[in-house]
Amino acid sequence: MKTIWVFLFALLCYQAESAGFNGLGQTPQMGWNNFNHFPVGIHEQIIRETADAIITTGLSKLGYVYVNIDDRWANLDRDSQGNLVANSTTFPSGIKALADYVHSKGLKIGIYSDAGNQTCAKTQPGSLGYEEQDANIFASWGIDYLKYDNCHNEGVDTKQRYTKMSKALNKTGRSIFYSLCEWGQEDPATWGPKIANSWRTTGDIHDDWHRMTSTADKNDKWASYAGPGGWNDPDMLEVGNGKMSTEEYRSHFSIWALMKAPLLLGCDIRSMSPETVEIITNEEVIQVNQDSLGVQGKKVSKKGKLEVWAGPLSNKRYTFILWNRSPESASITAKWKDIGPSDDSVFKARDLWNHSDLQDTFQGSLTSTVDSHACKMYILTPSSS
Ligand code: GAL
C-alpha cells in the first residue's frame, strides 16, 4: 500500500514538474516583438498600430497574442523611488496606458529588461539588484511577459540572477510569462525548465540564410529539454524582413514550428507582403508548433546538405520536413527508421504547404524533390485511423 502512495506522489511531482514552473507556456508562445524590424526607433505608436494590425489581419485568431516591447522603452534614470520610468519622448502615455490599450484588443503585452546594470543598448537601467521592485511595477502595469536579457551583468552568477527574477515575478501574484535571454551561454536548457517558460539557446538571429540555418542547428542540440511549460528559444522570426527569399522564409518558419520554437513575428505587421502573410498564417504548420504532445522535432538524417527533420505529434501522428540546404534542386527521402515508427507501418501523408493529401499511402519511406533552400513539410497519420 505504502508503495502505491509513494508512486502516486512521485507521479504528481513529475506531472507538476513537466507542466512547467508557473503553468504558463503549455505550448510555445506566439506573438510579435519589435527588435528584428525596429532594433532602434521603437515608440508607442508602433506598438498600438501593431496591436491593431494583429487583430485586423486575423493573426490573433491564429494564436499570435503577445505584443512584446524590446530594449529602449525606458528612461536611463529611475525615478526618486527607484522605479523604472517609460521614456517620456517615445512612450509619453506610459506603459500602463499602453498595456490597457493592448488588453482592450484581447491581446497580451510583454516587456524587456536585463539581468545586469544596464540593458544591451545601454539606454535604460537593468534590473540587477532591483528584481522585486521591477517585477512589482511590471505587474502593476499589467505586464504579461518578461524577456530578460544578459548584458552588463557584472559577472554575477547567471543562475542566481535569473532565479531571483523568476521568484520576484512569481511573488507578484500576476501570471507573467518568463523568457530568459541568456544566449545559451551556460546551457540554460538544463536549468531553465525549473524557473522559466523559455530560454534562448543561441546568440541573435539575423535576416540571413546562413545565420538562420546555423541558429537552427545550435537549437537542435537541446531538443530533449523542451516540453509543455518550457521551450528552447532559437530567437525570433525574420520572416518578412526582406533579406531572404520566400522559400528560405518558408523553411525558417517550418523548422521553427517543428522545433516547437516560440513563434514571435519580427516583421512590420502593418505592411506585410502577400508571401509573408501566406507563410505566417499557415494554420496547419502552426498546429504542428502548438500540438499538445509538445515534443520538439529534430534533425534525424543528413546527407550533405539534404536533411530530414522530424518529430512525433499527438494521436500517433508524425511530422517531418524534407529540407534542401544545397544550391540545387534534389530528391530527399525520409525513412521511418529515422523518424520513429516501425518500418512496416503504413501512413497517409498530408503536404502542409500544398494543403493537400497525397494520393498514395506510404510504408517505410517517402521521397520527394525539393528546390534549393526550400522545404516540404508533411504530417503522417496511421492509415487505419
Ligand atoms: C540582445 C538580445 C536581442 C535584443 C537586444 C536588445 O542581447 O539577444 O534579442 O533584445 O539585446 O538590445
Side-chain angles (χ1 to χ4, degrees):
M1 191 63 184
K2 198 172 156 209
T3 334
I4 291 178
W5 285 115
V6 171
F7 173 74
L8 283 175
F9 181 69
L11 189 72
L12 265 176
C13 292
Y14 171 76
Q15 282 183 336
E17 172 97 341
S18 66
F21 88 108
N22 62 0
L24 297 174
Q26 292 306 302
T27 58
Q29 67 269 39
M30 292 177 67
W32 175 86
N33 172 298
N34 66 270
F35 184 73
N36 283 353
H37 195 85
F38 304 96
V40 292
I42 187 66
H43 55 76
E44 65 176 43
Q45 202 49 27
I46 298 178
I47 303 293
R48 281 171 199 264
E49 288 173 13
T50 299
D52 296 346
I54 286 182
I55 302 293
T56 53
T57 51
L59 288 172
S60 62
K61 292 216 175 82
L62 297 173
Y64 296 101
V65 293
Y66 286 106
V67 179
N68 293 347
I69 313 168
D70 211 279
D71 202 351
R72 299 174 187 267
W73 61 267
N75 275 342
L76 191 51
D77 295 319
R78 291 173 179 269
D79 69 11
S80 55
Q81 271 95 54
N83 286 324
L84 291 167
V85 189
N87 183 303
S88 48
T89 315
T90 49
F91 289 84
S93 324
I95 303 299
K96 170 88 174 71
L98 201 53
D100 289 347
Y101 184 78
V102 170
H103 289 152
S104 76
K105 304 250 148 190
L107 301 170
K108 293 179 185 292
I109 187 159
I111 208 155
Y112 164 102
S113 191
D114 186 281
N117 285 338
Q118 271 188 340
T119 63
C120 296
K122 282 195 155 193
T123 54
Q124 60 180 72
S127 294
L128 187 62
Y130 290 84
E131 290 83 357
E132 286 208 5
Q133 186 167 2
D134 291 355
N136 285 338
I137 201 136
F138 295 151
S140 76
W141 289 339
I143 291 295
D144 305 297
Y145 185 117
L146 175 67
K147 170 176 173 180
Y148 203 42
D149 215 339
N150 196 25
C151 284
H152 312 292
N153 59 49
E154 305 295 312
V156 181
D157 179 78
T158 307
K159 283 185 215 167
Q160 191 187 313
R161 286 181 292 117
Y162 280 92
T163 304
K164 227 168 166 194
M165 181 53 93
S166 173
K167 288 192 176 145
L169 291 173
N170 272 355
K171 214 170 151 192
T172 66
R174 185 173 174 85
S175 280
I176 301 180
F177 190 105
Y178 185 35
S179 150
L180 309 188
C181 181
E182 177 268 3
W183 319 306
Q185 288 192 338
E186 294 193 27
D187 302 346
T190 61
W191 47 271
K194 288 207 173 65
I195 63 159
N197 302 108
S198 67
W199 44 89
R200 283 272 296 276
T201 53
T202 71
D204 287 10
I205 193 171
H206 298 164
D207 189 10
D208 168 82
W209 166 256
H210 296 288
R211 184 72 168 209
M212 183 274 284
T213 52
S214 63
T215 301
D217 289 344
K218 282 186 193 143
N219 188 63
D220 187 36
K221 182 174 166 199
W222 303 104
S224 63
Y225 294 90
W231 307 101
N232 290 314
D233 176 4
D235 208 0
M236 304 168 293
L237 296 163
E238 291 283 6
V239 181
N241 278 334
K243 297 215 174 85
M244 286 190 255
S245 70
T246 300
E247 288 318 308
E248 291 172 342
Y249 282 139
R250 200 188 305 282
S251 296
H252 175 22
F253 192 75
S254 303
I255 291 288
W256 259 238
L258 174 133
M259 290 199 294
K260 302 289 188 286
L263 295 182
L264 292 174
L265 304 169
C267 60
D268 188 347
I269 307 278
R270 302 167 307 170
S271 56
M272 296 184 288
S273 69
E275 291 80 13
T276 299
V277 173
E278 190 239 335
I279 292 172
I280 66 171
T281 61
N282 186 325
E283 268 186 87
E284 301 196 66
V285 174
I286 292 172
Q287 275 164 21
V288 166
N289 181 258
Q290 299 290 302
D291 184 65
S292 59
L293 191 65
V295 173
Q296 178 173 332
K298 48 190 182 196
K299 192 184 307 201
V300 297
S301 81
K302 173 174 154 59
K303 245 195 204 166
K305 292 193 164 179
L306 308 180
E307 304 186 348
V308 180
W309 292 59
L313 297 175
S314 54
N315 299 323
K316 302 193 172 93
R317 296 169 307 147
Y318 292 86
T319 185
F320 69 92
I321 292 174
L322 305 178
W323 195 10
N324 182 355
R325 287 163 61 161
S326 84
E328 283 121 34
S329 161
S331 163
I332 308 181
T333 298
K335 295 184 180 142
W336 286 193
K337 73 172 172 46
D338 297 326
I339 295 177
S342 66
D343 232 18
D344 55 358
S345 337
V346 182
F347 287 99
K348 293 182 274 195
R350 182 165 175 83
D351 181 326
L352 305 191
W353 285 108
N354 262 348
H355 303 289
S356 62
D357 294 327
L358 274 62
Q359 276 192 338
D360 302 325
T361 55
F362 296 85
Q363 186 174 14
S365 68
L366 188 156
T367 301
S368 190
T369 303
V370 186
D371 288 341
S372 166
H373 290 197
C375 77
K376 288 192 175 168
M377 185 167 187
Y378 302 90
I379 287 181
L380 297 176
T381 307
S383 77
S384 48
S385 67

